[in-house]
Each structure stands twice: as C-alpha cells, then as structure tokens.
Amino acid sequence: MATTEKPTMLVGIDDSHHSLYALEWTLDHFFTIFPSNPPFKLVVLHAKALPSSVVGLAGPGAVDIVPIVDADLKKTAARVAEAAKQMCSSKSVHDVQFEVMEGDPRNVLCEAVEKYHASMLVLGSHGYGAIKRAVLGSVSDYCVHHAHCTVTIVKKPKIKH
Amino acid sequence: METTSIAAAETSEAIMQPEKKKKLKVMVGIDDSEESFYALKWSLDNLYCIAPEASQDGSDGCKLTLVHVQHPFQHFVFPAGPGGATAFYATPSMVDSVRTAQEENSAALLSRALQMCKDKLVKAETLVLNGDPKDMICQAAEQMHIDLLVLGSRGLGKIKRAFLGSVSDYCAHHAICPITIVKPPKERSK
C-alpha cells in the first residue's frame, strides 16, 4: 500500500481547550486506529496573533507595551505548541509537524491550507455556550466559508442537564 | 498485515484496543446535488475507519447512515395556467402523485448512494425524513448520537469566495456533533 503522498490534515489550535479537544478528537479518530501507518500527514498549526492587533490603538504608551505583549504572545504560543506536542505523543502519534505562524488566525489558516495543500482542516469551535444555539467562533466560521478544502468543526460536547 | 502490526505494536494499548474500538457513527446528508455525492465519496475514501480492513473482529469500525430529507410538499400550490394567477388547492390525487414522485426520487438517490457504498464494501443504512433539511438533519444527528456529520456544500460556485449552502451553514452552527463540510473539488489541480 505504498501511497506516493499522503493527504495532509491540518489542525488549527489556539489557546483554548476547545481546540485541544479538536486535536484530541482528530488524533483519536484518524490516527490512533493506525498506530503504525497513519493515512494522513498531520500538521498542527498555531496562529499567533500579531501584537499590533492585540494592542490596537493604545495611544502614546503603545511603543512600550508592544514588546511585552509580544513576549506574552510568544509564551502563549510556546505553551500551546507544547500542549499539542504532549497530546500527540501521549497518543503515540509521532509523525507530526508543528508550526507557529503569525497573523490573523483566519487568514493564517486559509493560507496554510493553500501552502500545505491540505485535504482537510480541523478546527475547534468556541461555541459561545452562553447563547443557547451555539454560534461558531468567528475564526471557524470564516474558515468554513473561505478555506478551499474540506473543513471539520469539532465542538466540545456540552454537558446535558 | 495491518492487523498483526496493530496487535503487536502498543504495549498497554494492545489490550485496550479491541474494547476501546471507536465505533464512529457517521451520517452523510444526501440530496439531489452532485456535491452531496461528492461528500459521500469523500467520506468513503477518507474515513478509513469505515473500511473493512480496519475491523479485525466482527464488530465494524464505523456505522454509516445516509440521510435524505424530503421537502414537504406544500398543499397550496401553483398559480394556474395562462389565464391568471388563480391558485388552487392541489387535489388529493395530485398530492399523492407528487408524493409518489418524491419517494421515487429519494429512492433513486439513496440507491445510487448505497451502490457507491457497496462498491467500497461499506455497510450503510438509509434514512428518509420529511421536513426542513436543516432542522431534520440536526435533530437526527442528535437523536441517533451521531459522532460525525458529513455534508456537501454547494459552494454557490459563481461567487468567487465560496459560500456554504444554507443547510450546511445552519448545521455547522447548530449541530452538536463534529461536522465536516466537504467542498467540491476545485478545477485547478493542487
């Protein structure tokens, strides 16, 4: 069964536990079944926000804040990447590529789809549970509309009461 | 060859594996668009857990459900002929004939879908529902505890930035389970 090139699956993660759940879901359903030879190539992508977008129009003090914000964002990105790596290795999935790209997550994810020729994009969705009918987070909504590949939205199951 | 490697590979996993087999219940929405058949084809190709070789013991990896939602037939139909806009109520015989035609249509669609599944040696069951596709699909996914919902997306291809069809968009927002939206393949190759 020597396939020339495995289709690529791209999982977008951010700092939320929803996206880690999405990664876990993907690993469980597509990778742990085939521990020796997974049918997909997995790329885990974290989109790190640009400090300028976070700081916004902060005014005169912005110049000082930017490096601090940037450092904080880098720390967050490192933490996220670490959590993702740990999850992958705990599921014994080793052939994973981790990437951190800067920019607006929406564009970053869609561009990454083009760059990796991903056949599938998996995203978590915040759900904004306060509203009864779960609305997709804006990033997942954007990607579903604009990514050129199949998109899977994984929602964290709510506890029914 | 994969079965032996799966058995031998993991240490603690190997004991857990047979019991812990993820029985993924997948539901694919079918209507008369080509995109939904492409979505079905995509699922058959890519959701490897459906493939027979993934199941070593008798229990299959996944269960595939094909769902087709029929639009309810409006009884107050049809402006009449050229004379003017005289709407009339459809007679019972008309209703019946339309309903029969609808049923034949859905049967044809589902048999085509089942044939695709059979070609890939995948067992599938069909489900025909009546009503608004958006609601019925979400409800069915909830009631049947579906693990993954797969829908095609019309794309409304004329518009350059592909928009989802309203059904897939609605389901992406409201379904409780993970949902996969399969877009029709682009003309240009990757």
Side-chain angles (χ1 to χ4, degrees), chain B residues 75-150:
Chain B
H75 293 264
F76 48 92
V77 189
F78 310 141
T86 46
F88 62 93
Y89 283 100
T91 60
S93 57
M94 262 186 71
V95 172
D96 281 339
S97 67
V98 173
R99 194 168 291 152
T100 321
Q102 265 191 339
E103 275 165 21
E104 276 174 26
N105 189 29
S106 9
L109 285 177
L110 287 173
S111 68
R112 184 179 154 199
L114 276 174
Q115 186 59 42
M116 278 173 75
C117 297
K118 224 191 294 185
D119 290 339
K120 301 265 185 173
L121 303 172
V122 173
K123 282 194 290 191
E125 55 179 48
T126 61
L127 183 62
V128 179
L129 298 169
N130 277 303
D132 188 1
K134 309 190 266 259
D135 296 320
M136 300 312 294
I137 293 181
C138 291
Q139 265 181 37
E142 195 174 335
Q143 283 166 1
M144 295 173 63
H145 302 292
I146 294 292
D147 296 312
L148 180 65
L149 185 58
V150 181

Side-chain angles (χ1 to χ4, degrees), chain A residues 133-134 144-145 147 151-153 155, chain B residues 162 172-173 175 179-181 183:
Chain A
R133 286 168 127 209
V144 164
H145 283 81
V151 181
T152 295
I153 309 285
K155 301 198 196 164
Chain B
H173 284 79
I179 174 167
T180 295
I181 313 273
K183 308 245 178 101

Side-chain angles (χ1 to χ4, degrees), chain A residues 1 25 29-30 33-36 39 92 120 133-134 136 141-142 144-145 147 149-153 155 160, chain B residues 2 5-6 10 24 42 47-49 142 148 161-164 169-170 172-176 178-181 183:
Chain A
M1 265 217 297
W25 186 91
H29 291 108
F30 289 96
I33 318 178
F34 306 96
S36 51
S92 313
M120 184 152 127
R133 286 168 127 209
L136 282 181
D141 199 39
Y142 183 90
V144 164
H145 283 81
C149 65
T150 303
V151 181
T152 295
I153 309 285
K155 301 198 196 164
K160 293 264 184 207
Chain B
E2 277 177 344
S5 67
I6 288 172
E10 309 303 314
L24 198 70
W42 184 93
L47 296 179
Y48 282 74
C49 50
E142 195 174 335
L148 180 65
R161 290 166 126 207
F163 282 94
L164 286 180
D169 195 40
Y170 182 92
H173 284 79
H174 295 116
I176 327 186
I179 174 167
T180 295
I181 313 273
K183 308 245 178 101

Side-chain angles (χ1 to χ4, degrees), chain B residues 47-62:
Chain B
L47 296 179
Y48 282 74
C49 50
I50 305 182
E53 62 229 37
S55 59
Q56 318 151 241
D57 40 38
S59 63
D60 293 290
C62 300

